[in-house]
Structures are given as structure tokens and as C-alpha cells.
Amino acid sequence: MVILLLINLLVSNALTLRQEKSILFSRVVFTGLISSSILGFINLYVNALSNGIGLYGGLFNVTTFTQAFNIFILLISALILILTGFFPRKVIIKKYSSLYHLLFSKLSYNKNVISNKTGEQFRIIEYALVIVFALCGSLFLMSTGDLVSIFLSIELQSYGLYILCSLYRDSESSTASALTYFLLGGLSSCFILLGSALLYANSGTTNLDNIYIICSISEMQNDHIMGETINTISSLYLYQPYYFHISLIIIAVGFLFKVSAAPFHFWSPDVYDGIPTIVTTFVAIIAKISIFVFFLELVYYTQYSFLSYSWTNVFVISSFFSLIIGSVLGLTQFRIKRLFAYSTISHVGFILLALCMSNTESIQAYIFYIIQYSLSNLNAFVILVSVGYTFYFYIQGNEKGYKGQKIDKESEMIDENHSPIQLISQIRGYFYVNSFLAMSLGITLFSFVGIPPLIGFFAKQMILSAAMDNGYVFMSLVAILTSVIGAAYYLSLIKEIFFFKHDYVINPVIYKEGSYMVLKGYITYLFSFLPSSKNISTKQANSQVEFSPNDIKLSSSLSSVISVITLLLVAFIYVPSEWFNVVSILSLSLFKA
């Protein structure tokens, strides 16, 4: 994937004009990711027959389980690249929408104004390349089999994310957020490196398979000598068990920083809010999937408790704080991306709760929750970006510059060009601006809440059922209560969207004497020798066309992604067996491996 993409990007760089390179690069990478996912699907059967393949002397282990999540991450990344690979708006005129006109004529208009060709995301040519390298780190991390490859993989992923956050050079908030992310990410990497060094110092090996064998031997030895005294037990241990627990806890703390789990969450609201929304989409989804998949394999093979405690108890503590902090602090937010950040922290609490229990039911719930939440989160951010594009012809009545009024200081927006939708008040009454997008966002928010029959309800139900069966009654009660609290700020968004009138007015740029300014374009026939154009004069062949702002629609790329993901969230109740079968096969493949 990397070699082919680099070759294609170099060729594209040599053959394209500069202003088109960013879009072309995104499309090349999009095609490469789709092709790689197809190859991964073909290789699923090879890995299933061989129970996995070891690469580079045991540094990486490719199994059916890791290959399936490779495909999932590649597809999610391809959907994210659609945001920068296609223009967000298009002109649709019914009179000229026939198949004949689509094939043999061309509408020329001011594309810079209507399709946003001069947008910042279409002028940064490094965007797609940085995503490729960050994606490589994610894929390596899920298949890692050694302490050395763990650190190299997480750093490759993290460096890509740091650069991605700071790509918008003219954005002060983006640069500040990237610096915050870099400093705290470096701190978390120190924890991972320290834990790995302690683990190596005690076990004498960096290979995870060897460490798993040591854990198994120590556990069997512990069972064999349970009747002996504590001193005898300690003397008979081949390895010091508390070293393993301390080392793994330090490594876990480093990774919990990366996934913004409480109490290590303090960087995520500021970073999510400061960086552009298109970058937030990648940072909030891809980085977490790879770490959670790695966590599942690590916990499954080191679940043995040598003494009366286990290192996985750190996940119970982090889950407890994440559920409470993500739900309670989200109630006070008025900036929508900060609200999504606290929402993510709350959902990370659910994921960590499933990670604490290591049995078939909890693993199935864990995998299912990761898949459905990644899709829901992607849909929410794509809709947020699309809402910003639909507001191109509107401004709020209290915005600075319209009728002499000024916007409130507490609600002042930063980097409006990069993240046009930042405040919850901006989507007030949005149902009356674009009802279809509003309904899609409403369905996604209901899925976050966990309202049946949407997919989010079944994900939470599976985790709570597994927790109750394993004796985590208190944590189940905390999860239920915090879900009710968290529902308050989701439902407040629903209330803002559907139950209030908006205060948007037509932008003064296209507002003239009480009516729309008529936009103009030209229809040019591509082939003058066609039968229908034989007797057309030169003036008619290049005829002027008038259209209104209502003829400018959201592009098919964005509307298709939103429609498909929303349909998946809604239609789950009709085809649940297919989802559950995939999750069951993945969990069984993990046990088999």
C-alpha cells in the first residue's frame, strides 16, 4: 500500500497543476485505501487457514482478527478522505439535468465562490500523505508482537497526528492545539517507554509471545502451590509478579492518555475544539480504534492474576472516572466540538468497562461497541462539516457586520473558515434550513443516547449485560445513571435543532433590494456537430443561464456518505444477525489465535 501510493503520488505531483494537487492526492489515496481493503478481505481466508502469520522475526503477527480491523480502518479512512477529495457544493438546474445535457454540455460559473475551490482544505497538498503515514502506524500497532514494534508503531501514528493538527499554518488555534497535543503526547510516550523497559528488565525479552508464556507458567505455578506460605510462594516464582503488574499499568496509563480516557482526558476538549473539523474527524476516530484493538489482545493474553489483584483494574478505575466526567462536564458546554469531546470520553468509559472482563460475551460487546461508535462518530462529524457548507448563503442576524450588530464576546468564534460550525447556538432551528441533514444528525444523536431501536442501544445493552453477568453491579449502575445524565445534553441539541426557529438571514453578498441576486452561468455545448445543435447559433451555443441559491446543493459525495451511514444506524434492527455473526466470528478468531 505504501509503495504504490508513494509512486502514484509522485506521478500525480509531476503531471498536475498546483491548485488541483490536493484533491487529486486525496482521490489517489482514497483509491489506494479501497484497493488495500479489498486485498485484505482476500487475505482473510489465508490467515484463517494458517491461524496467523508472523512477520519480521516476530515483530508483527497478522491474524484474521487484526486483518478484519485493518479493513475496517482502511474503509473509515477512505470515507474521511471524501471530505477533501471532492468539492462540497454543486449546481442542479432541472431544465439542464437531462442525460443529454449532462453528457454533451457544460455549465460554467464562478466555481471559486459556489464550490469553495479556494477553501483551505483544498490548498494543503500534504494532507493525504500525512494521513497515509499515520494510518501505517495504526495498522502496525494492531498487528504488533513485540515491545519495540509497539513503541515504534504508536510513535509513527502519533507523529502523523501531530503534523496533521498543525497543517493549517495560518490558524493560530490549530497550531496551539497541535503543540498541546504534541507535549502531552510526548509525556504519554514516556510512560509507554518506561513500562516497556521495566517489562524487559524483569522478563529478559521484548517479544509479547514470550511474555504471555511467562504469565501462563507463573499462573500455573501459582495454582500448584496455593497451599504454601507467602514466603515460599515468592521464592518459587520464576519471575516477580508485581513487576508485570506495575509495568503493564504504566504502559496502560500511557495508552489511556492517547485515547483521552479520564483522568487523563484534559487535553482532548481543547485539541478537538482548536483544530479544524476535518482534522478532528480523523484524530477522534482512527487513533482510538487501533489502540483499543491492541488493548484487547494485550488484556486477553495477560489476564492472569498472580496475587489478589490484576493490572486490568486500572481500566475499571479509568472507566468509572470517564463515565462520570464525560457525562457531567458535558452539560456545561456551549461549543459543539467540546461537547463531542466529552461525549467521546463517556463512550470510552463504556468501552473500558467491557475491556475489564475477559470472556466471550464481553469481547463480543467490546468489538461491537467499537464498530458502531466509530460509524456514529464519523457520521456526526461529516454532518457537522456539511452543515457548515450549507450555511454558505446565510449569516445569523446578530453576526458582526449585519445591520451594525455585533456577536457576543462569549460566543466569538475562532478560525471560522476552518470550522464554520463551532457553537451549539449556530444549529438552532436548523431543521427549517435543511430538514434531511437535521434528521440525519438527530438519528445519530439518538444512537449516542442509546434509544431503541437504533444500533447504539444494543451496543450499550450488550456491555451492561456482560457487566452484570460478571458481577460488576456497581459499575453497571454507574453506567446507567451516567447514560441518563449524558442524554440531557444530547437531547438539548435535538431541542435546539427541531423546536426553535432559526435567526438566519440571507448573506448581504447575495442580498439585493429585498430579493435574491440572480447568479449567472453559461451552458457550452461540447460537440457542435450533434444533430440537436446543428442549427444553434454561436450565441445560443454559449447561452447564459440564470439560477438562484436554491439550485446550489450539497455534493453527492457528502450526501452519499451521510445517507449510507444513517441507514446503517437505522436499519440495524432489520438485519441484526449479520452484524452479530461478524462480531462472533471475530471474537472466536481471537480465542483461536
Side-chain angles (χ1 to χ4, degrees):
M1 179 189 76
V2 176
I3 293 173
L4 289 178
L5 282 178
L6 289 178
I7 292 173
N8 288 330
L9 289 173
L10 286 173
V11 172
S12 304
N13 187 60
L15 300 178
T16 331
L17 297 175
R18 179 172 178 82
Q19 59 265 30
E20 302 292 341
K21 281 182 182 178
S22 176
I23 294 177
L24 181 61
F25 285 0
S26 294
R27 293 180 182 180
V28 169
V29 174
F30 173 82
T31 307
L33 297 183
I34 296 296
S35 304
S36 301
S37 62
I38 294 173
L39 289 175
F41 181 74
I42 295 172
N43 290 328
L44 268 179
Y45 303 102
V46 177
N47 294 333
L49 293 174
S50 61
N51 291 336
I53 300 171
L55 301 174
Y56 304 111
L59 285 178
F60 300 99
N61 296 316
V62 182
T63 63
T64 304
F65 181 78
T66 60
Q67 197 77 340
F69 272 97
N70 285 346
I71 297 170
F72 182 66
I73 278 192
L74 290 171
L75 293 176
I76 292 290
S77 302
L79 293 178
I80 293 174
L81 278 170
I82 288 178
L83 294 173
T84 55
F86 300 90
F87 294 122
R89 291 183 286 263
K90 62 182 179 181
V91 177
I92 297 180
I93 306 174
K94 292 183 179 180
K95 181 180 178 182
Y96 297 98
S97 296
S98 64
L99 183 61
Y100 168 78
H101 282 97
L102 291 176
L103 293 177
F104 301 115
S105 63
K106 180 182 179 182
L107 174 63
S108 301
Y109 52 89
N110 189 349
K111 293 184 179 181
N112 289 335
V113 175
I114 295 172
S115 62
N116 196 34
K117 288 187 70 172
T118 57
E120 183 76 10
Q121 68 272 24
F122 300 124
R123 293 190 283 127
I124 298 178
I125 61 177
E126 304 93 344
Y127 179 80
L129 188 62
V130 174
I131 280 186
V132 170
F133 285 106
L135 201 55
C136 288
S138 302
L139 300 182
F140 291 156
L141 182 62
M142 292 190 294
S143 302
T144 187
D146 196 277
L147 293 175
V148 175
S149 58
I150 288 175
F151 186 74
L152 293 178
S153 301
I154 190 62
E155 288 307 290
L156 179 59
Q157 173 183 287
S158 299
Y159 288 159
L161 296 178
Y162 303 152
I163 297 171
L164 201 63
C165 293
S166 59
L167 272 182
Y168 290 75
R169 301 177 185 87
D170 60 339
S171 169
E172 182 180 348
S173 65
S174 176
T175 306
S177 299
L179 185 60
T180 303
Y181 191 19
F182 170 69
L183 293 176
L184 294 177
L187 177 64
S188 63
S189 298
C190 292
F191 279 99
I192 296 172
L193 194 58
L194 175 62
S196 301
L198 291 176
L199 205 56
Y200 171 71
N202 186 45
S203 64
T205 180
T206 59
N207 190 275
L208 291 182
D209 286 337
N210 295 339
I211 294 174
Y212 299 155
I213 292 171
I214 292 170
C215 291
S216 302
I217 293 174
S218 300
E219 178 71 10
M220 288 188 293
Q221 185 182 5
N222 186 24
D223 294 339
H224 180 67
I225 57 176
M226 282 300 290
E228 304 291 337
T229 62
I230 296 298
N231 293 330
T232 308
I233 291 175
S234 300
S235 63
L236 289 176
Y237 270 125
L238 296 177
Y239 299 90
Q240 297 298 325
Y242 54 85
Y243 255 59
F244 278 95
H245 289 290
I246 294 174
S247 304
L248 290 171
I249 286 173
I250 293 174
I251 292 175
V253 167
F255 279 107
L256 290 175
F257 259 105
K258 302 285 187 183
V259 297
S260 67
F264 315 108
H265 68 285
F266 41 84
W267 60 270
S268 62
D270 294 331
V271 172
Y272 280 27
D273 191 42
I275 59 180
T277 307
I278 292 176
V279 179
T280 310
T281 307
F282 191 85
V283 173
I285 300 173
I286 301 301
K288 292 180 173 55
I289 298 175
S290 58
I291 293 175
F292 283 134
V293 172
F294 164 73
F295 263 158
L296 181 57
E297 296 180 326
L298 187 65
V299 169
Y300 175 67
Y301 289 112
T302 59
Q303 60 182 317
Y304 310 104
S305 56
F306 306 136
L307 297 175
S308 59
Y309 64 90
S310 173
W311 75 279
T312 55
N313 289 336
V314 70
F315 294 128
V316 182
I317 298 172
S318 181
S319 173
F320 176 76
F321 284 112
S322 297
L323 289 169
I324 293 179
I325 291 175
S327 300
V328 174
L329 294 186
L331 296 172
T332 62
Q333 303 304 315
F334 64 90
R335 301 181 69 87
I336 193 163
K337 284 198 291 182
R338 292 183 69 90
L339 181 63
F340 280 172
Y342 283 107
S343 165
T344 299
I345 294 169
S346 177
H347 287 280
V348 166
F350 270 95
I351 295 174
L352 294 177
L353 178 58
L355 189 62
C356 304
M357 309 161 284
S358 206
N359 54 38
T360 308
E361 185 182 4
S362 65
I363 289 177
Q364 290 179 359
Y366 182 84
I367 295 172
F368 184 72
Y369 203 101
I370 291 174
I371 293 174
Q372 70 85 22
Y373 182 66
S374 299
L375 291 173
S376 300
N377 217 14
L378 174 63
N379 200 36
F381 279 109
V382 173
I383 292 174
L384 199 61
V385 172
S386 302
V387 167
Y389 291 138
T390 60
F391 277 149
Y392 173 73
F393 292 108
Y394 299 92
I395 62 169
Q396 283 184 299
N398 61 347
E399 190 169 341
K400 184 178 179 180
Y402 179 68
K403 295 184 179 179
Q405 298 179 359
K406 295 184 179 181
I407 197 167
D408 297 335
K409 286 293 182 183
E410 63 176 3
S411 303
E412 190 173 357
M413 292 187 293
I414 305 171
D415 282 346
E416 185 177 357
N417 293 332
H418 302 141
S419 299
I421 302 300
Q422 298 180 22
L423 309 174
I424 294 177
S425 60
Q426 287 179 274
I427 58 174
R428 170 173 292 204
Y430 185 71
F431 177 75
Y432 301 99
V433 176
N434 190 318
S435 58
F436 292 104
L437 269 183
M439 291 175 64
S440 297
L441 182 57
I443 290 171
T444 306
L445 293 175
F446 280 134
S447 181
F448 283 154
V449 175
I451 294 178
L454 299 176
I455 193 171
F457 165 77
F458 295 95
K460 289 187 176 181
Q461 186 267 340
M462 290 174 68
I463 289 181
L464 292 175
S465 175
M468 293 293 291
D469 291 343
N470 286 271
Y472 289 85
V473 179
F474 175 73
M475 286 301 300
S476 300
L477 292 175
V478 171
I480 293 171
L481 290 175
T482 52
S483 293
V484 174
I485 296 173
Y489 56 73
Y490 289 124
L491 295 179
S492 67
L493 288 177
I494 298 293
K495 181 181 177 182
E496 290 282 335
I497 295 170
F498 292 94
F499 295 97
F500 288 103
K501 291 287 186 180
H502 66 81
D503 57 351
Y504 284 96
V505 294
I506 301 299
N507 196 321
V509 174
I510 57 171
Y511 192 84
K512 185 179 182 181
E513 296 179 359
S515 62
Y516 291 122
M517 179 184 291
V518 177
L519 303 173
K520 297 179 181 180
Y522 293 91
I523 286 287
T524 304
Y525 291 95
L526 303 181
F527 302 103
S528 59
F529 57 83
L530 291 174
S532 58
S533 59
K534 277 184 178 179
N535 299 321
I536 297 179
S537 64
T538 305
K539 184 178 179 181
Q540 290 174 327
N542 196 11
S543 57
Q544 183 173 308
V545 178
E546 296 181 350
F547 55 94
S548 70
N550 293 328
D551 295 323
I552 301 176
K553 309 292 184 183
L554 202 63
S555 68
S556 302
S557 57
L558 293 176
S559 57
S560 299
V561 171
I562 295 171
S563 302
V564 170
I565 299 179
T566 305
L567 186 63
L568 287 175
L569 300 182
V570 174
F572 168 78
I573 190 64
Y574 297 104
V575 286
S577 58
E578 285 76 8
W579 289 74
F580 290 137
N581 287 339
V582 170
V583 171
S584 300
I585 292 171
L586 286 177
S587 61
L588 290 175
S589 68
L590 178 65
F591 282 105
K592 187 177 179 182

